[in-house]
Amino acid sequence: MSSNIPYKTYLSEGEVPCEWYNVRADMKKKPAPLLVPSTLKPCTPKDLAPVFCDDLVRQELDDETAFFPIPAEICDFYRMFRPSPLIRAYFLEKALGTPAKIYYKFEGNNTSGSHKLNSAVAQAYYAKAQGLKGVTTETGAGQWGTALSMACAFFGLDCRVFMVKCSYEQKPFRREVMRTYGASVTPSPSMTTQIGEKINREHPGTTGSLGCAISEAVEAAVSNPGYRYVLGSVLNQVLLHQSIIGLEAQAAFRKLGEKPDVIIGCAGGGSNLGGLIAPFMGEKLRGESDYRFIAVEPASCPSLTRGRYAYDYCDTGRICPLAKMYTLGADFIPSASHAGGLRYHGMSPVLSELYDQGLMEARSVRQTDVFAAAQYFARTEGILPAPESSHAIRAAIDEAIKCRENGEAKTILFGLTGTGYFDMTAYQAFNDHVMGDYVPADEELEASFAKLPEVPAT
Ligand SMILES: *Cc1c(COP(=O)(O)O)cnc(C)c1O
């Protein structure tokens, strides 16, 4: 290792991207449209206006515009924690004895601790610009709620978070971070919405799920004047905002005079992976360069690797539009794994379509293998990774080991989406050797697929 090689690559002023990139513009076959559940017709701006802010509806439905300028107020906010560093993992390479070069784009360098702030600030900005009073949302593990509460505090917006009840009880510190930024946090299912009351009545004592909290947050938005709903992943608009990760990575690689061969990210709803790969996928779609892309998901919630590509509900209450995506079924409740951010039943329609076209690979990994990688990474590179991010670390290490076995000096890039300080009970379970590896049986998935909605092919 030579000391004149930059360990961290930051961009200088003129190299920082000032536009988001919309990969849909370069896709010949576009992702399938969202459908109105009652009519099964494609959603129009009018259908989505009661739920989302107007500018975000435009971004959601726009499959043609390649670049969206980032408003100055959002750029100013980004400057507080961006550009995020692209880091060469020299110590990990050395420990593995691999000829591969390993880079990671680190998004954990802000108080919310993850990439979710990139989209939270954009969504809060557009809500404010429209003159709204506030936004509602759901949060599972708490990263999204934390990011959104920071963004809302910055723009002076009210923030109402429905937090999955088991997380609300198990992660009191996340809750207090949100309240410190001024958000109100309600355990879901609550008695403050009709859908929450119904779920509580039908399933007494339930500890909630993400799909159920989404239904509550949407209901709270459409029934309170001056409020809209915001979502931290899955949607096209969120992938658009997260493209800042990939654009910075692309600029940093250009600066280094290098190119990644393999790009890896963990996939829950698909926003960090979709954002990281977007500009590189654009090059691939336009035939300019070739890359391998790998989505890594938990074996406990394997939507890409074992799901169906079909129209499905996005929420348990079935009030949101239908999306065509790789899904395990809206009623599928994944086991209580420690990667809360990867427990959504479906996958971004953009990534689903790219995967279906064979432009991206996917693999699933088991929880204990993920934590072994997390621990190895913490000990070699120093950063204590989030359990979600550690799925990408697992795959990056496995690829680097393959390079060692084959004597190939590939360049690997992975997304390190966040830090794991709020996940120490998970690390404790791993350290105490009591962590399990739940993998759903085929019958369990089949039972869930049987409940997928019937949508005639268009
Ligand atoms: C939410 C979250 C994820 C997964 O969400 P995606 O939308 O799939 O990116 C990954 N890592 C961290 C740290 C998260 O908070």
Side-chain angles (χ1 to χ4, degrees):
M1 187 189 308
S2 127
S3 58
N4 60 14
I5 299 174
Y7 177 63
K8 291 188 185 182
T9 307
Y10 282 99
L11 304 173
S12 44
E13 192 66 32
E15 296 163 324
V16 175
C18 56
E19 296 171 309
W20 292 303
Y21 168 66
N22 178 12
V23 73
R24 286 169 284 159
D26 282 309
M27 291 171 72
K28 278 189 206 82
K29 182 162 179 261
K30 309 288 183 192
L34 295 172
L35 302 182
V36 178
S38 55
T39 62
L40 301 183
K41 295 244 159 60
C43 287
T44 62
K46 218 168 137 230
D47 296 319
L48 295 178
V51 183
F52 300 119
C53 310
D54 299 344
D55 283 309
L56 294 170
V57 169
R58 269 192 283 284
Q59 294 177 358
E60 190 62 32
L61 299 178
D62 189 334
D63 285 348
E64 306 299 333
T65 307
F67 288 96
F68 286 82
I70 306 176
E73 290 87 342
I74 299 175
C75 285
D76 287 345
F77 188 95
Y78 277 170
R79 265 174 235 259
M80 290 197 282
F81 64 104
R82 310 204 68 84
S84 73
L86 178 75
I87 304 174
R88 173 88 182 264
Y90 283 113
F91 302 104
L92 178 62
E93 290 171 15
K94 202 168 158 203
L96 292 170
T98 179
K101 288 181 184 172
I102 308 174
Y103 287 93
Y104 57 95
K105 181 81 171 147
F106 180 47
E107 292 291 320
N109 233 339
N110 67 75
T111 296
S112 79
S114 82
H115 66 285
K116 292 202 170 71
L117 194 55
N118 299 330
S119 185
V121 63
Q123 297 193 50
Y125 165 78
Y126 289 117
K128 187 69 184 178
Q130 195 173 321
L132 297 173
K133 276 193 263 180
V135 292
T136 69
T137 198
E138 78 295 329
T139 196
Q143 288 100 320
W144 168 244
T146 309
L148 188 69
S149 61
M150 285 176 73
C152 286
F154 187 78
F155 288 114
L157 275 175
D158 186 32
C159 179
R160 298 190 188 169
V161 181
F162 290 88
M163 185 168 188
V164 178
K165 196 179 275 171
C166 62
S167 305
Y168 183 90
E169 282 155 10
Q170 283 167 7
K171 296 197 167 186
F173 296 146
R174 276 266 177 222
R175 183 178 81 207
E176 290 317 313
V177 176
M178 288 183 254
R179 292 179 61 211
T180 301
Y181 284 98
S184 70
V185 188
T186 307
S188 166
S190 75
M191 297 302 274
T192 68
T193 63
Q194 286 177 6
I195 189 80
E197 254 186 78
K198 178 164 177 269
I199 293 168
N200 269 316
R201 205 169 46 239
E202 289 170 3
H203 307 275
T206 176
T207 53
S209 72
L210 212 49
C212 160
I214 294 176
S215 302
E216 282 206 275
V218 173
E219 183 185 321
V222 297
S223 53
N224 282 297
Y227 281 78
R228 292 293 185 279
Y229 168 69
V230 294
L231 181 63
S233 185
V234 186
L235 296 172
N236 299 337
Q237 55 185 279
V238 183
L239 267 75
L240 175 72
H241 306 146
Q242 295 297 355
S243 69
I244 190 74
I245 306 172
L247 290 163
E248 284 181 5
Q250 190 186 43
F253 271 104
R254 228 177 260 144
K255 187 170 179 168
L256 293 169
E258 295 186 30
K259 256 177 188 256
D261 299 296
V262 190
I263 306 177
I264 300 169
C266 63
S271 74
N272 87 82
L273 176 65
L276 174 67
I277 71 175
F280 299 101
M281 182 61 85
E283 292 177 28
K284 181 164 171 146
L285 289 165
R286 295 189 302 271
E288 297 163 7
S289 275
D290 199 14
Y291 301 97
R292 265 181 78 204
F293 302 104
I294 308 176
V296 192
E297 57 185 16
S300 59
C301 191
S303 50
L304 284 172
T305 49
R306 292 176 68 198
R308 290 274 166 81
Y309 191 32
Y311 268 105
D312 193 12
Y313 298 99
C314 295
D315 63 321
T316 315
R318 311 189 163 189
I319 55 179
C320 294
L322 291 167
K324 187 175 180 192
M325 56 187 177
Y326 275 85
T327 179
L328 297 167
D331 288 331
F332 179 80
I333 307 249
S335 68
S337 90
H338 293 292
L342 306 183
R343 292 183 69 231
Y344 189 62
H345 66 274
M347 185 56 65
S348 138
V350 174
L351 288 189
S352 291
E353 182 56 37
L354 291 168
Y355 178 61
D356 200 58
Q357 291 180 28
L359 292 160
M360 183 179 85
E361 302 165 34
R363 67 176 69 155
S364 71
V365 288
R366 287 175 186 245
Q367 184 164 245
T368 49
D369 294 332
V370 166
F371 274 81
Q375 185 193 65
Y376 194 80
F377 186 80
R379 291 180 186 181
T380 50
E381 286 291 315
I383 295 173
L384 189 118
E388 293 87 353
S389 323
S390 305
H391 288 68
I393 297 175
R394 175 74 267 164
I397 289 178
D398 291 344
E399 287 299 309
I401 291 173
K402 244 187 264 164
C403 286
R404 181 180 70 204
E405 286 163 358
N406 304 338
E408 289 176 311
K410 292 218 173 105
T411 300
I412 299 166
L413 165 63
F414 73 90
L416 187 66
T417 50
T419 47
Y421 304 119
F422 287 100
D423 301 285
M424 296 321 292
T425 47
Y427 277 92
Q428 182 180 15
F430 181 73
N431 292 333
D432 288 343
H433 309 287
V434 295
M435 179 175 275
D437 277 320
Y438 183 78
V439 181
D442 288 338
E443 303 77 67
E444 199 180 325
L445 296 183
E446 287 303 328
S448 184
F449 297 147
K451 288 190 246 167
L452 285 171
E454 296 265 346
V455 176
T458 41

